[in-house]
Amino acid sequence: MSWRPTLPRIIHSRPHLSLAVAVGALVWPFLPDDWHWLTRVLTAWDVAVWLYLVTMVSMMLRADHHDIRRAASRQDEKGPVILATLSVAILISLAAIVLQLASLKNHPDDLPLQYTFVALTVIGSWLMTGVMFCSHYAHLYYTNKETEPLLGFPDQHLQPNYWDFLYFSFTISVAVQTSDVTVRSRRMRKVVLGQSVLCFFYNLAILGLSINIAASLIN
């Protein structure tokens, strides 16, 4: 299948992500030409990430399990590919932050502003990881055709909503482990494993960056 017929399906199935990517791309040409190219790239990335977070959280606060089921039915089979692509993009943004910090040695007067910029990028990318995995877990749960649910929540008499999936996703992001939600299928364990590995290295990188920034401020 060619890309062109697939693009409208992606836009329809993931409107929040599509909007964020489009706005981030539109912002790029309007950024000042005298900015370093890396700063321009990260600024466009930040606009896309934070717009995605705002629109997704706004939708999740209003959605119930019926809304989640309808959203899950719209998403197509390319979900794992999109998820993997976003994960790689987040890791690339982290690598770009390292390069950005390395370039600050020649501009000591801009340190407070640049550190704020770095913090926004790192925090936004970390939050995006949890939110996009939350969305994917909800999609897998409500499109499951098996009799046994893919995840076991403590309140078994209630249909899980986005708060339940956010809780599950960010528990993995923070602790790289699950808590009182059980994983009941091999398919779901693969996704949980992928998020755990991604978050382990991301959290490790954030710790290293924090120590580096703290040492720079002290000196």
Side-chain angles (χ1 to χ4, degrees):
M1 183 180 295
S2 64
W3 175 254
R4 288 187 178 181
T6 305
L7 184 58
R9 293 175 57 190
I10 295 176
I11 295 174
H12 177 262
S13 63
R14 292 172 176 80
H16 304 283
L17 177 61
S18 302
L19 174 64
V21 172
V23 172
L26 289 174
V27 165
W28 165 266
F30 296 98
L31 296 176
D33 293 333
D34 57 345
W35 284 12
H36 192 274
W37 68 269
L38 190 56
T39 303
R40 297 176 66 191
V41 169
L42 290 176
T43 300
W45 168 261
D46 283 348
V47 170
V49 167
W50 284 102
L51 179 60
Y52 172 79
L53 290 173
V54 169
T55 56
M56 283 293 290
V57 170
S58 176
M59 178 271 295
M60 289 178 174
L61 290 176
R62 295 179 283 104
D64 58 17
H65 66 276
H66 298 293
D67 299 318
I68 303 175
R69 193 182 297 274
R70 284 192 292 270
S73 65
R74 291 199 307 266
Q75 296 184 12
D76 57 24
E77 72 282 357
K78 295 187 180 298
V81 176
I82 295 174
L83 191 67
T85 302
L86 288 174
S87 299
V88 172
I90 287 172
L91 291 176
I92 292 174
S93 75
L94 195 62
I97 283 296
V98 175
L99 296 176
Q100 181 79 2
L101 287 174
S103 66
L104 293 182
K105 297 178 180 179
N106 300 325
H107 305 86
D109 296 336
D110 297 335
L111 286 181
L113 181 61
Q114 289 296 331
Y115 282 149
T116 302
F117 175 63
V118 167
L120 284 174
T121 306
V122 171
I123 294 172
S125 297
W126 185 84
L127 289 173
M128 184 181 183
T129 303
V131 170
M132 70 184 189
F133 271 96
C134 159
S135 178
H136 192 59
Y137 290 134
H139 166 70
L140 292 178
Y141 186 91
Y142 279 106
T143 56
N144 177 39
K145 303 300 183 181
E146 301 175 6
T147 56
E148 181 75 12
L150 301 182
L151 294 172
F153 292 92
D155 301 323
Q156 297 182 5
H157 61 287
L158 297 176
Q159 291 288 342
N161 59 19
Y162 276 121
W163 285 109
D164 298 302
F165 294 110
L166 281 171
Y167 166 74
F168 178 68
S169 178
F170 276 95
T171 298
I172 298 173
S173 294
V174 173
V176 197
Q177 66 178 16
T178 59
S179 55
D180 54 349
V181 180
T182 57
V183 183
R184 297 180 175 178
S185 78
R186 179 177 298 174
R187 181 185 181 189
M188 190 65 82
R189 281 192 289 271
K190 290 179 180 179
V191 182
V192 171
L193 176 63
Q195 184 185 1
S196 299
V197 173
L198 175 65
C199 289
F200 172 79
F201 285 107
Y202 199 93
N203 294 345
L204 191 66
I206 290 177
L207 179 62
L209 286 174
S210 301
I211 294 174
N212 180 273
I213 292 175
S216 299
L217 292 175
I218 294 173
N219 296 330

